[in-house]
Amino acid sequence: MGKVVVVENVTLDGVMQAPGGADEDARGGFPYGGWAHPYADRVMAEAMGKGMSEDSGMLFGRRTYEQFHAFWSKQTDGNPYTEVLNRKRKYVASRTLAGPLPWENSSLLPGDAADAVAALKRGVEGDLVVLGSGELVRSLARAGLVDVYTLSIHPLTLGTGTKLFAEGEQAYGTLELVEALPTTTGVIIATYRSIA
């Protein structure tokens, strides 16, 4: 049986919106896109590279899938990520996309995302890694389908923006810290396992 592993960049106040670039996600007038870049270092690159090298599939919501495909599938600078991302099996939860999907090794999940991911977990071995895809993460958390959270917790607060866990929603359960790795820039890469 597979495991759902959520991998996210978050601020101390829980914001996950647009860590990668100014124009990544400006919904709601979010002015801080690209906030994670100043904190990148060798420790973080090695930790994320290790995770990408493992035999796993990927789960995406529509918005994140389209952004990743638009950028990573076209990189030709010899970076280590493009080949890995192209090769990995990608599953996309979307109510608006229709197949076939444009990025190689991509499959559209039919119907309700939580139901489709629950069925997928039963039918695969290894991890199903979710990057970004906040709406998908929250729906999987509500359904009790997230097994592991790997959070790169950045030492800043933004005070606005989409949060990993929305305010006013039900409790998602109890987590157990299984690893904490500090970086040279003050980011803590914390891995939590769902236990209830």
Side-chain angles (χ1 to χ4, degrees):
M1 182 160 168
K3 291 189 308 184
V4 172
V5 178
V6 169
V7 178
E8 300 288 354
N9 289 291
V10 296
T11 64
L12 282 175
D13 57 345
V15 174
M16 64 173 290
Q17 186 171 355
D23 58 352
E24 180 180 357
D25 182 359
R27 286 179 292 172
F30 185 68
Y32 303 117
W35 53 264
H37 279 294
Y39 299 93
D41 75 344
R42 169 193 52 79
V43 175
M44 188 179 293
E46 288 175 4
M48 294 305 124
K50 178 184 173 208
M52 295 219 23
S53 68
E54 295 174 0
D55 186 26
S56 59
M58 302 184 78
L59 289 172
F60 289 105
R62 177 198 54 84
R63 179 186 306 273
T64 304
Y65 173 80
E66 289 178 338
Q67 288 175 339
F68 268 63
H69 173 251
F71 183 79
W72 287 109
S73 69
K74 296 168 179 60
Q75 297 304 301
T76 58
D77 61 1
N79 74 80
Y81 301 115
T82 298
E83 180 185 346
V84 171
L85 288 169
N86 285 340
R87 187 179 66 240
K88 281 195 182 280
R89 191 91 200 106
K90 295 168 281 293
Y91 302 94
V92 184
S94 172
R95 291 179 225 103
T96 58
L97 289 178
L101 297 176
W103 200 359
E104 63 190 272
N105 298 317
S106 295
S107 301
L108 191 59
L109 294 175
D112 176 76
D115 291 342
V117 171
L120 185 60
K121 278 181 71 168
R122 289 189 297 271
V124 300
E125 292 297 322
D127 295 341
L128 296 165
V129 177
V130 186
L131 302 174
S133 306
E135 290 179 35
L136 176 61
V137 169
R138 286 184 290 280
S139 72
L140 298 179
R142 280 190 297 271
L145 294 171
V146 178
D147 300 288
V148 176
Y149 292 91
T150 297
L151 306 178
S152 293
I153 305 166
H154 291 65
L156 81 154
T157 59
L158 297 176
T160 188
T162 302
K163 294 187 176 183
L164 177 59
F165 301 111
E167 290 183 33
E169 288 201 349
Q170 69 184 33
Y172 294 118
T174 304
L175 305 174
E176 175 186 25
L177 180 67
V178 294
E179 182 179 14
L181 175 66
T183 72
T184 64
T185 60
V187 173
I188 297 174
I189 303 170
T191 301
Y192 297 94
R193 180 175 53 233
S194 295
I195 57 173

Coordinates of all heavy atoms in Angstrom, one line a residue, residues 81-177:
Y81 N 16.8 18.0 -11.9 CA 15.3 17.8 -11.6 C 14.5 17.5 -12.8 O 13.6 16.7 -12.7 CB 14.8 19.1 -10.9 CG 15.5 19.4 -9.6 CD1 16.2 20.6 -9.5 CD2 15.5 18.5 -8.5 CE1 16.9 20.9 -8.3 CE2 16.2 18.8 -7.3 CZ 16.9 20.0 -7.2 OH 17.6 20.3 -6.1
T82 N 14.8 18.1 -13.9 CA 13.9 17.9 -15.1 C 13.8 16.5 -15.5 O 12.7 16.0 -15.7 CB 14.5 18.7 -16.3 OG1 14.4 20.1 -15.9 CG2 13.6 18.5 -17.5
E83 N 14.9 15.7 -15.6 CA 14.9 14.3 -16.0 C 14.0 13.5 -15.0 O 13.2 12.7 -15.4 CB 16.3 13.8 -16.1 CG 16.3 12.3 -16.5 CD 17.6 11.7 -16.6 OE1 18.6 12.4 -16.5 OE2 17.7 10.5 -16.6
V84 N 14.3 13.8 -13.7 CA 13.5 13.0 -12.7 C 12.1 13.3 -12.8 O 11.2 12.4 -12.7 CB 14.1 13.4 -11.3 CG1 13.2 12.8 -10.2 CG2 15.5 12.9 -11.1
L85 N 11.7 14.6 -12.9 CA 10.3 15.0 -12.9 C 9.6 14.4 -14.2 O 8.5 14.0 -14.1 CB 10.1 16.5 -12.8 CG 10.4 17.1 -11.5 CD1 10.5 18.6 -11.6 CD2 9.3 16.7 -10.5
N86 N 10.3 14.5 -15.3 CA 9.7 13.9 -16.5 C 9.5 12.4 -16.4 O 8.5 11.9 -16.9 CB 10.6 14.2 -17.7 CG 10.6 15.6 -18.2 OD1 9.7 16.4 -17.9 ND2 11.6 16.0 -18.9
R87 N 10.4 11.7 -15.8 CA 10.3 10.3 -15.7 C 9.3 9.8 -14.6 O 8.7 8.7 -14.8 CB 11.7 9.7 -15.3 CG 11.9 8.2 -15.3 CD 13.3 7.8 -15.0 NE 13.6 8.1 -13.6 CZ 14.6 8.9 -13.2 NH1 15.4 9.4 -14.1 NH2 14.9 9.1 -12.0
K88 N 9.1 10.5 -13.6 CA 8.2 10.1 -12.5 C 6.8 10.0 -13.0 O 6.3 10.7 -13.9 CB 8.3 11.1 -11.3 CG 9.5 10.9 -10.5 CD 9.3 11.6 -9.2 CE 10.5 11.4 -8.3 NZ 10.6 10.2 -7.6
R89 N 6.0 9.1 -12.4 CA 4.6 8.9 -12.6 C 3.9 10.1 -11.9 O 4.2 10.3 -10.7 CB 4.1 7.6 -12.0 CG 2.8 7.2 -12.4 CD 2.9 6.4 -13.7 NE 1.7 6.3 -14.4 CZ 1.5 7.0 -15.6 NH1 2.4 7.7 -16.1 NH2 0.4 6.8 -16.3
K90 N 3.0 10.8 -12.6 CA 2.3 11.9 -12.1 C 0.8 11.7 -12.2 O 0.3 11.3 -13.2 CB 2.7 13.2 -12.9 CG 4.2 13.5 -12.8 CD 4.7 14.6 -13.8 CE 5.0 14.0 -15.1 NZ 6.1 13.1 -15.2
Y91 N 0.1 11.9 -11.1 CA -1.3 11.7 -11.0 C -1.9 13.1 -10.7 O -1.4 13.8 -9.8 CB -1.7 10.8 -9.8 CG -1.1 9.4 -10.0 CD1 0.2 9.1 -9.4 CD2 -1.7 8.5 -10.8 CE1 0.7 7.8 -9.6 CE2 -1.1 7.2 -11.0 CZ 0.1 6.9 -10.4 OH 0.7 5.7 -10.6
V92 N -2.9 13.5 -11.4 CA -3.4 14.9 -11.3 C -4.9 14.8 -10.9 O -5.7 14.2 -11.6 CB -3.3 15.6 -12.7 CG1 -3.8 17.0 -12.5 CG2 -1.8 15.6 -13.1
A93 N -5.2 15.5 -9.8 CA -6.6 15.6 -9.4 C -7.2 16.9 -9.9 O -6.6 18.0 -9.7 CB -6.7 15.6 -7.9
S94 N -8.2 16.8 -10.8 CA -8.8 18.1 -11.4 C -10.2 17.8 -11.8 O -10.5 16.8 -12.3 CB -8.0 18.5 -12.6 OG -8.6 19.5 -13.3
R95 N -11.0 18.8 -11.5 CA -12.4 18.8 -12.0 C -12.6 19.4 -13.3 O -13.6 19.4 -13.9 CB -13.3 19.5 -11.0 CG -13.4 18.8 -9.6 CD -14.3 19.5 -8.7 NE -13.7 19.6 -7.4 CZ -13.1 20.6 -6.8 NH1 -13.0 21.8 -7.5 NH2 -12.5 20.6 -5.7
T96 N -11.5 20.1 -13.9 CA -11.6 20.9 -15.1 C -10.7 20.3 -16.2 O -11.1 20.6 -17.4 CB -11.3 22.3 -14.9 OG1 -10.0 22.4 -14.3 CG2 -12.3 23.0 -13.9
L97 N -9.7 19.6 -16.0 CA -8.8 19.1 -17.0 C -9.4 17.9 -17.7 O -10.2 17.1 -17.0 CB -7.4 18.7 -16.5 CG -6.5 19.8 -16.0 CD1 -5.2 19.3 -15.5 CD2 -6.2 20.8 -17.2
A98 N -9.1 17.7 -18.9 CA -9.5 16.5 -19.6 C -8.2 15.8 -20.2 O -7.3 16.5 -20.5 CB -10.5 16.8 -20.8
G99 N -8.3 14.5 -20.3 CA -7.1 13.8 -20.8 C -7.1 13.8 -22.3 O -8.1 14.1 -22.9
P100 N -6.0 13.4 -23.0 CA -4.8 13.0 -22.3 C -4.0 14.3 -21.8 O -4.1 15.3 -22.4 CB -4.0 12.3 -23.4 CG -4.5 12.9 -24.7 CD -6.0 13.2 -24.4
L101 N -3.3 14.1 -20.8 CA -2.5 15.2 -20.2 C -1.2 15.4 -21.0 O -0.6 14.4 -21.5 CB -2.2 15.0 -18.7 CG -3.5 14.9 -17.9 CD1 -3.1 14.6 -16.4 CD2 -4.2 16.2 -17.9
P102 N -0.7 16.6 -21.1 CA 0.5 16.9 -22.0 C 1.8 16.4 -21.5 O 2.7 16.2 -22.3 CB 0.5 18.4 -22.1 CG -0.2 18.9 -20.8 CD -1.2 17.8 -20.5
W103 N 2.0 16.3 -20.2 CA 3.3 15.9 -19.6 C 3.5 14.4 -19.6 O 2.6 13.7 -19.1 CB 3.5 16.5 -18.3 CG 4.9 16.7 -17.7 CD1 6.0 16.4 -18.3 CD2 5.2 17.3 -16.5 NE1 7.1 16.7 -17.5 CE2 6.6 17.2 -16.4 CE3 4.5 17.8 -15.4 CZ2 7.3 17.7 -15.3 CZ3 5.2 18.2 -14.3 CH2 6.6 18.2 -14.2
E104 N 4.6 13.9 -20.1 CA 4.7 12.4 -20.1 C 4.5 11.8 -18.7 O 4.8 12.4 -17.7 CB 6.1 12.1 -20.7 CG 7.3 12.6 -19.8 CD 8.6 12.4 -20.5 OE1 9.2 11.4 -20.3 OE2 9.1 13.4 -21.1
N105 N 4.0 10.6 -18.7 CA 3.8 9.8 -17.5 C 2.8 10.5 -16.6 O 2.9 10.3 -15.4 CB 5.1 9.5 -16.8 CG 6.1 8.7 -17.6 OD1 5.7 7.8 -18.2 ND2 7.3 9.1 -17.6
S106 N 1.8 11.2 -17.2 CA 0.8 11.8 -16.4 C -0.6 11.2 -16.6 O -0.9 10.8 -17.7 CB 0.6 13.3 -16.8 OG 1.8 14.0 -16.5
S107 N -1.3 11.0 -15.5 CA -2.7 10.4 -15.5 C -3.6 11.3 -14.8 O -3.3 11.8 -13.7 CB -2.7 9.0 -14.9 OG -1.8 8.2 -15.5
L108 N -4.8 11.5 -15.3 CA -5.9 12.2 -14.6 C -6.6 11.3 -13.7 O -7.0 10.2 -14.1 CB -6.8 12.8 -15.7 CG -7.8 13.8 -15.2 CD1 -7.2 15.0 -14.6 CD2 -8.7 14.2 -16.4
L109 N -6.8 11.7 -12.4 CA -7.5 10.9 -11.5 C -9.0 11.2 -11.7 O -9.4 12.4 -11.7 CB -7.1 11.3 -10.0 CG -5.7 10.9 -9.6 CD1 -5.4 11.5 -8.3 CD2 -5.5 9.4 -9.7
P110 N -9.8 10.2 -11.8 CA -11.3 10.4 -12.1 C -12.0 10.7 -10.8 O -11.7 10.2 -9.7 CB -11.7 9.0 -12.6 CG -10.8 8.0 -11.9 CD -9.4 8.8 -11.8
G111 N -13.1 11.5 -10.9 CA -14.0 11.7 -9.8 C -13.5 12.5 -8.7 O -12.6 13.3 -8.8
D112 N -14.0 12.3 -7.5 CA -13.6 12.9 -6.3 C -12.1 12.7 -6.0 O -11.7 11.5 -6.0 CB -14.5 12.5 -5.1 CG -14.1 13.1 -3.8 OD1 -14.4 14.3 -3.6 OD2 -13.5 12.4 -3.0
A113 N -11.4 13.7 -5.7 CA -9.9 13.5 -5.4 C -9.7 12.6 -4.3 O -8.8 11.7 -4.4 CB -9.3 14.9 -5.2
A114 N -10.3 12.8 -3.2 CA -10.1 11.9 -2.0 C -10.4 10.5 -2.3 O -9.6 9.6 -1.9 CB -10.8 12.4 -0.8
D115 N -11.5 10.2 -3.0 CA -11.8 8.8 -3.3 C -10.8 8.2 -4.3 O -10.4 7.1 -4.1 CB -13.2 8.7 -4.0 CG -14.3 9.1 -3.0 OD1 -14.1 9.0 -1.8 OD2 -15.5 9.4 -3.5
A116 N -10.4 9.0 -5.3 CA -9.4 8.5 -6.2 C -8.1 8.3 -5.6 O -7.4 7.3 -5.9 CB -9.3 9.5 -7.4
V117 N -7.6 9.1 -4.7 CA -6.3 8.9 -4.0 C -6.4 7.8 -3.1 O -5.4 7.0 -3.0 CB -5.9 10.2 -3.3 CG1 -4.7 10.0 -2.5 CG2 -5.6 11.3 -4.4
A118 N -7.5 7.6 -2.4 CA -7.7 6.4 -1.5 C -7.5 5.1 -2.3 O -6.8 4.2 -1.9 CB -9.0 6.4 -0.8
A119 N -8.1 5.1 -3.5 CA -8.0 3.9 -4.4 C -6.6 3.7 -4.9 O -6.1 2.6 -4.9 CB -9.0 4.0 -5.5
L120 N -6.0 4.8 -5.2 CA -4.6 4.8 -5.7 C -3.6 4.3 -4.7 O -2.8 3.5 -4.9 CB -4.2 6.2 -6.2 CG -2.8 6.4 -6.8 CD1 -2.7 5.5 -8.1 CD2 -2.6 7.9 -7.1
K121 N -3.8 4.8 -3.4 CA -3.0 4.3 -2.3 C -3.0 2.8 -2.2 O -2.0 2.1 -1.9 CB -3.4 4.9 -1.0 CG -2.9 6.3 -0.7 CD -3.4 6.8 0.6 CE -2.7 6.2 1.8 NZ -2.9 6.8 3.1
R122 N -4.2 2.2 -2.3 CA -4.4 0.8 -2.2 C -3.7 0.0 -3.3 O -3.4 -1.2 -3.2 CB -5.9 0.4 -2.1 CG -6.6 0.8 -0.9 CD -8.0 0.3 -0.8 NE -8.9 0.8 -1.8 CZ -9.6 1.9 -1.7 NH1 -9.6 2.6 -0.7 NH2 -10.4 2.2 -2.7
G123 N -3.5 0.7 -4.5 CA -3.0 0.0 -5.6 C -1.6 0.2 -6.0 O -1.1 -0.4 -7.0
V124 N -0.9 1.0 -5.2 CA 0.5 1.3 -5.5 C 1.4 0.9 -4.3 O 0.9 0.9 -3.2 CB 0.8 2.7 -5.9 CG1 0.0 3.1 -7.2 CG2 0.5 3.7 -4.8
E125 N 2.7 0.7 -4.6 CA 3.7 0.6 -3.5 C 4.5 1.9 -3.6 O 4.7 2.5 -4.6 CB 4.6 -0.6 -3.8 CG 3.9 -1.9 -3.7 CD 3.3 -2.2 -2.3 OE1 4.0 -1.8 -1.3 OE2 2.2 -2.7 -2.1
G126 N 5.0 2.3 -2.4 CA 5.9 3.5 -2.4 C 5.1 4.7 -2.1 O 3.9 4.7 -1.8
D127 N 5.8 5.8 -2.1 CA 5.3 7.1 -1.8 C 4.5 7.8 -3.0 O 4.9 7.6 -4.1 CB 6.4 8.1 -1.3 CG 7.0 7.6 0.0 OD1 6.4 6.8 0.7 OD2 8.1 8.1 0.3
L128 N 3.5 8.5 -2.6 CA 2.8 9.4 -3.6 C 3.1 10.8 -3.0 O 2.5 11.2 -2.0 CB 1.4 9.1 -3.6 CG 1.0 7.8 -4.2 CD1 -0.4 7.4 -3.9 CD2 1.3 7.7 -5.7
V129 N 4.0 11.6 -3.6 CA 4.5 12.8 -3.1 C 3.6 14.0 -3.6 O 3.4 14.1 -4.9 CB 6.0 13.1 -3.4 CG1 6.4 14.4 -2.9 CG2 6.8 11.9 -2.8
V130 N 3.1 14.8 -2.7 CA 2.4 16.0 -3.1 C 3.3 17.2 -2.9 O 3.8 17.5 -1.8 CB 1.1 16.2 -2.3 CG1 0.3 17.3 -2.8 CG2 0.3 14.9 -2.2
L131 N 3.5 18.0 -4.0 CA 4.2 19.3 -3.9 C 3.2 20.4 -4.1 O 2.4 20.3 -5.1 CB 5.3 19.3 -4.9 CG 6.4 18.3 -4.9 CD1 7.3 18.4 -6.1 CD2 7.2 18.3 -3.6
G132 N 3.3 21.5 -3.3 CA 2.3 22.5 -3.5 C 0.9 22.0 -3.3 O 0.6 21.3 -2.4
S133 N 0.0 22.4 -4.3 CA -1.3 21.8 -4.4 C -2.1 21.9 -3.1 O -2.7 20.9 -2.6 CB -1.2 20.3 -4.9 OG -0.5 20.2 -6.0
G134 N -2.2 23.1 -2.6 CA -2.8 23.3 -1.3 C -4.2 22.8 -1.1 O -4.6 22.2 -0.1
E135 N -5.1 23.1 -2.1 CA -6.4 22.6 -2.0 C -6.5 21.1 -2.0 O -7.3 20.5 -1.2 CB -7.2 23.1 -3.2 CG -7.5 24.6 -3.2 CD -8.3 25.1 -4.4 OE1 -9.2 24.4 -4.9 OE2 -8.0 26.2 -4.8
L136 N -5.7 20.4 -2.8 CA -5.6 19.0 -2.8 C -5.1 18.5 -1.4 O -5.7 17.5 -0.8 CB -4.7 18.4 -3.9 CG -4.4 16.9 -3.9 CD1 -5.8 16.2 -4.1 CD2 -3.4 16.6 -5.0
V137 N -4.1 19.1 -0.9 CA -3.6 18.7 0.4 C -4.6 18.8 1.5 O -4.8 17.8 2.3 CB -2.3 19.5 0.8 CG1 -1.9 19.3 2.3 CG2 -1.1 19.2 -0.1
R138 N -5.4 19.9 1.5 CA -6.4 20.0 2.5 C -7.5 19.0 2.4 O -8.0 18.5 3.4 CB -6.9 21.5 2.5 CG -5.9 22.5 3.1 CD -6.5 23.9 3.2 NE -6.6 24.5 1.9 CZ -5.6 25.1 1.3 NH1 -4.4 25.1 1.8 NH2 -5.8 25.7 0.1
S139 N -7.9 18.7 1.1 CA -8.9 17.7 1.0 C -8.4 16.3 1.4 O -9.2 15.5 2.0 CB -9.5 17.7 -0.5 OG -8.5 17.1 -1.4
L140 N -7.2 16.0 1.1 CA -6.6 14.7 1.5 C -6.5 14.6 3.0 O -6.7 13.6 3.7 CB -5.3 14.4 0.8 CG -5.3 14.3 -0.7 CD1 -3.9 14.1 -1.2 CD2 -6.3 13.3 -1.2
A141 N -6.1 15.7 3.7 CA -6.0 15.8 5.1 C -7.3 15.6 5.8 O -7.5 14.8 6.7 CB -5.4 17.1 5.6
R142 N -8.4 16.2 5.3 CA -9.7 16.1 5.8 C -10.2 14.6 5.7 O -10.9 14.1 6.6 CB -10.7 17.0 5.1 CG -10.7 18.4 5.5 CD -11.9 19.2 4.9 NE -11.8 19.2 3.4 CZ -11.2 20.2 2.7 NH1 -10.6 21.1 3.3 NH2 -11.3 20.1 1.4
A143 N -9.8 13.9 4.7 CA -10.2 12.5 4.5 C -9.2 11.5 5.2 O -9.4 10.3 5.2 CB -10.2 12.2 3.0
G144 N -8.2 12.1 6.0 CA -7.3 11.2 6.7 C -6.4 10.4 5.8 O -5.9 9.3 6.2
L145 N -6.0 11.0 4.7 CA -5.2 10.2 3.7 C -3.7 10.6 3.7 O -2.9 10.0 3.0 CB -5.8 10.4 2.3 CG -7.1 9.8 2.1 CD1 -7.7 10.2 0.7 CD2 -7.1 8.3 2.1
V146 N -3.3 11.6 4.4 CA -1.9 12.1 4.5 C -1.2 11.3 5.5 O -1.6 11.2 6.7 CB -1.8 13.6 4.7 CG1 -0.3 14.0 4.8 CG2 -2.5 14.4 3.6
D147 N -0.2 10.6 5.1 CA 0.6 9.8 6.0 C 1.8 10.5 6.6 O 2.2 10.3 7.8 CB 1.1 8.5 5.3 CG 0.0 7.7 4.8 OD1 -0.7 7.1 5.6 OD2 -0.2 7.7 3.6
V148 N 2.4 11.4 5.8 CA 3.7 12.1 6.2 C 3.6 13.5 5.7 O 3.2 13.8 4.6 CB 4.9 11.4 5.7 CG1 6.2 12.1 6.0 CG2 5.0 9.9 6.2
Y149 N 4.1 14.4 6.6 CA 4.3 15.8 6.2 C 5.8 16.1 6.3 O 6.3 15.9 7.4 CB 3.5 16.8 7.1 CG 2.0 16.8 7.0 CD1 1.3 15.9 7.8 CD2 1.4 17.6 6.1 CE1 -0.1 15.9 7.7 CE2 0.0 17.5 6.0 CZ -0.7 16.7 6.8 OH -2.1 16.7 6.8
T150 N 6.4 16.6 5.2 CA 7.8 17.1 5.3 C 7.7 18.6 5.0 O 7.4 19.0 3.9 CB 8.7 16.4 4.3 OG1 8.8 15.0 4.6 CG2 10.1 17.0 4.3
L151 N 7.9 19.4 6.1 CA 7.7 20.8 6.0 C 9.0 21.5 6.1 O 9.7 21.3 7.1 CB 6.7 21.3 7.1 CG 5.3 20.5 7.2 CD1 4.5 21.1 8.3 CD2 4.6 20.7 5.9
S152 N 9.3 22.4 5.2 CA 10.5 23.2 5.3 C 9.9 24.5 5.9 O 9.3 25.4 5.2 CB 11.1 23.5 3.9 OG 11.7 22.3 3.4
I153 N 10.2 24.7 7.2 CA 9.6 25.8 8.0 C 10.6 26.9 7.9 O 11.7 26.8 8.5 CB 9.3 25.3 9.4 CG1 8.4 24.1 9.4 CG2 8.7 26.5 10.2 CD1 8.2 23.4 10.7
H154 N 10.2 28.0 7.3 CA 11.1 29.2 7.1 C 10.9 30.2 8.2 O 9.8 30.4 8.7 CB 10.7 29.8 5.7 CG 11.1 29.0 4.6 ND1 10.5 27.8 4.3 CD2 12.0 29.2 3.6 CE1 11.1 27.3 3.2 NE2 12.0 28.1 2.8
P155 N 12.0 30.8 8.6 CA 12.0 31.7 9.8 C 11.5 33.1 9.4 O 12.2 34.1 9.5 CB 13.4 31.8 10.2 CG 14.2 31.6 9.0 CD 13.4 30.6 8.1
L156 N 10.3 33.2 8.9 CA 9.6 34.5 8.6 C 8.1 34.4 8.8 O 7.6 33.2 8.7 CB 10.0 35.0 7.3 CG 9.2 34.5 6.1 CD1 9.3 35.5 4.9 CD2 9.8 33.2 5.5
T157 N 7.5 35.5 9.0 CA 6.0 35.5 9.0 C 5.6 36.5 7.9 O 6.3 37.5 7.7 CB 5.5 36.0 10.4 OG1 6.0 37.2 10.7 CG2 5.9 35.0 11.5
L158 N 4.5 36.2 7.3 CA 4.0 37.1 6.2 C 2.7 37.8 6.6 O 2.3 38.8 6.0 CB 3.8 36.3 4.9 CG 5.1 35.8 4.3 CD1 4.9 34.9 3.1 CD2 6.1 36.9 4.0
G159 N 1.9 37.2 7.5 CA 0.7 37.8 7.9 C -0.5 37.7 7.0 O -1.6 38.0 7.3
T160 N -0.2 37.2 5.8 CA -1.3 37.1 4.8 C -0.9 36.0 3.8 O 0.3 35.7 3.7 CB -1.5 38.4 4.0 OG1 -2.7 38.3 3.2 CG2 -0.3 38.8 3.2
G161 N -1.9 35.4 3.1 CA -1.6 34.4 2.1 C -2.3 33.1 2.5 O -2.7 32.9 3.6
T162 N -2.4 32.2 1.5 CA -3.0 30.9 1.7 C -2.1 30.1 2.7 O -0.9 29.9 2.5 CB -3.2 30.2 0.4 OG1 -3.9 31.0 -0.5 CG2 -3.8 28.9 0.5
K163 N -2.8 29.5 3.7 CA -2.1 28.7 4.6 C -2.2 27.2 4.3 O -3.2 26.8 3.7 CB -2.6 29.0 6.0 CG -2.3 30.4 6.5 CD -2.7 30.6 7.9 CE -2.3 32.0 8.3 NZ -2.6 32.3 9.7
L164 N -1.3 26.4 4.8 CA -1.3 25.0 4.6 C -2.6 24.4 5.2 O -3.3 23.6 4.6 CB -0.1 24.3 5.2 CG 0.0 22.8 5.2 CD1 -0.1 22.3 3.8 CD2 1.2 22.3 5.9
F165 N -2.9 24.8 6.5 CA -4.1 24.4 7.1 C -5.1 25.6 7.3 O -4.7 26.5 8.0 CB -3.8 23.7 8.5 CG -2.9 22.6 8.4 CD1 -1.6 22.6 8.8 CD2 -3.4 21.4 7.7 CE1 -0.8 21.5 8.7 CE2 -2.5 20.3 7.6 CZ -1.2 20.4 8.1
A166 N -6.2 25.5 6.7 CA -7.1 26.7 6.7 C -7.7 26.9 8.0 O -8.0 25.9 8.8 CB -8.2 26.4 5.6
E167 N -7.9 28.1 8.4 CA -8.5 28.4 9.7 C -10.0 28.0 9.7 O -10.6 28.1 8.7 CB -8.4 29.9 10.0 CG -7.0 30.4 10.2 CD -6.9 31.9 10.6 OE1 -7.8 32.4 11.2 OE2 -5.9 32.5 10.2
G168 N -10.4 27.6 10.8 CA -11.8 27.2 11.0 C -12.2 25.8 10.5 O -13.3 25.4 10.6
E169 N -11.2 25.1 10.0 CA -11.5 23.7 9.5 C -11.3 22.7 10.7 O -10.7 23.1 11.7 CB -10.6 23.3 8.4 CG -11.0 24.0 7.1 CD -10.4 23.3 5.9 OE1 -9.6 22.3 6.0 OE2 -10.8 23.6 4.8
Q170 N -11.9 21.6 10.5 CA -11.8 20.5 11.5 C -10.3 20.2 11.8 O -9.4 20.4 11.0 CB -12.5 19.3 11.1 CG -11.8 18.6 9.9 CD -12.6 17.4 9.4 OE1 -13.8 17.4 9.4 NE2 -11.9 16.4 9.0
A171 N -10.1 19.6 13.0 CA -8.8 19.1 13.3 C -8.4 18.0 12.4 O -9.2 17.2 12.0 CB -8.7 18.6 14.8
Y172 N -7.1 18.0 11.9 CA -6.7 17.0 11.0 C -6.0 15.7 11.7 O -5.8 14.8 11.0 CB -5.6 17.6 10.0 CG -6.2 18.6 9.1 CD1 -5.8 19.9 9.2 CD2 -7.2 18.3 8.2 CE1 -6.3 20.9 8.3 CE2 -7.7 19.2 7.3 CZ -7.3 20.5 7.4 OH -7.8 21.5 6.6
G173 N -5.8 15.8 13.0 CA -5.2 14.6 13.6 C -3.9 15.0 14.3 O -3.5 16.1 14.3
T174 N -3.3 14.0 14.9 CA -2.1 14.1 15.7 C -0.9 13.7 14.9 O -1.0 12.7 14.1 CB -2.2 13.3 17.0 OG1 -3.4 13.7 17.7 CG2 -1.0 13.4 17.9
L175 N 0.2 14.4 15.0 CA 1.4 14.1 14.3 C 2.5 13.8 15.2 O 2.6 14.3 16.3 CB 1.8 15.3 13.4 CG 0.7 15.8 12.4 CD1 1.2 17.1 11.7 CD2 0.4 14.8 11.4
E176 N 3.5 13.0 14.7 CA 4.7 12.6 15.5 C 5.9 13.1 14.7 O 6.0 12.8 13.5 CB 4.7 11.1 15.7 CG 6.0 10.6 16.4 CD 6.1 9.1 16.4 OE1 5.4 8.4 15.6 OE2 6.8 8.6 17.3
L177 N 6.8 13.8 15.4 CA 8.0 14.3 14.7 C 8.9 13.1 14.6 O 9.3 12.4 15.6 CB 8.7 15.4 15.6 CG 10.0 15.9 15.0 CD1 9.7 16.7 13.7 CD2 10.6 16.8 16.0

